[in-house]
């Protein structure tokens, strides 16, 4: 059985921090499915289709990375695709409590799917999609923080 990992998130939009986690997961697992969780409670800037296209462009050189989206529970998606693992990124202790809660709940739902954490590179430890959107909104330079295709997409969003 090929070892498939799921990397779930909102990716609104994908940042270099996300990309770092996806790239490192793709070195360890045979197949990585990035899954955009379509959580209606969150107000998103990009549609699911736009987010998917941006992630596909940013990860196109990794042949074992696939991008999908899901409306339901992440663990249901992971079961459906036959994943052995879920990979999440950890930035700081502030992420820890939230991640621990989610991981514990996912273990209750399916104890066979392991969650792995990859610690972010230092230069991305402050980076989030929200902070990137905030900086982009006021015309700040985000070229070091996001893939160029995302920089362009943000510029277009905020030019309107
Ligand atoms: P969610 O709404 O599920 O937290 P995000 O799109 O914000 O979705 O994040 C998806 C995953 O990427 C999470 O595991 C998050 O911790 C991780 N992540 C976000 N930003 C970074 C970063 N700068 N470095 C490493 N991991 C990150």
């Amino acid at each position: 059985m090929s070892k498939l990992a799921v990397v779930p998130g909102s990716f609104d939009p994908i940042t270099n921090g996300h990309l770092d986690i996806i790239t490192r997961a793709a070195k360890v697992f045979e197949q990585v499915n990035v899954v955009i969780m379509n959580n209606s409670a969150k107000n998103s800037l990009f549609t699911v289709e736009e987010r998917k296209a941006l992630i596909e462009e940013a990860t196109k050189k990794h042949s074992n990375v696939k991008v999908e989206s899901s409306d339901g529970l992440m663990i249901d998606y992971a079961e459906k695709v036959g994943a052995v693992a879920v990979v999440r990124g950890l930035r700081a202790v502030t992420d820890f409590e939230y991640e621990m809660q989610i991981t514990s709940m996912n273990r209750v739902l399916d104890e066979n799917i392991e969650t792995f954490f990859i610690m972010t590179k230092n230069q991305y430890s402050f980076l989030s999609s929200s902070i990137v959107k905030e900086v982009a909104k006021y015309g700040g330079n985000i070229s070091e923080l996001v893939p160029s295709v995302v920089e362009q997409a943000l510029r277009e969003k905020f030019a309107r």
Side-chain angles (χ1 to χ4, degrees), residues 8-12 15 17-18 21 42 88-91 95 98-99 120 124 127-129:
S10 316
F11 306 103
D12 185 39
T15 69
H18 293 129
I21 300 301
K42 277 193 184 175
R88 298 279 294 174
L90 272 186
R91 282 164 292 191
D95 278 343
Y98 173 72
E99 294 295 340
T120 184
Y124 302 137
L127 187 54
S128 66
S129 300

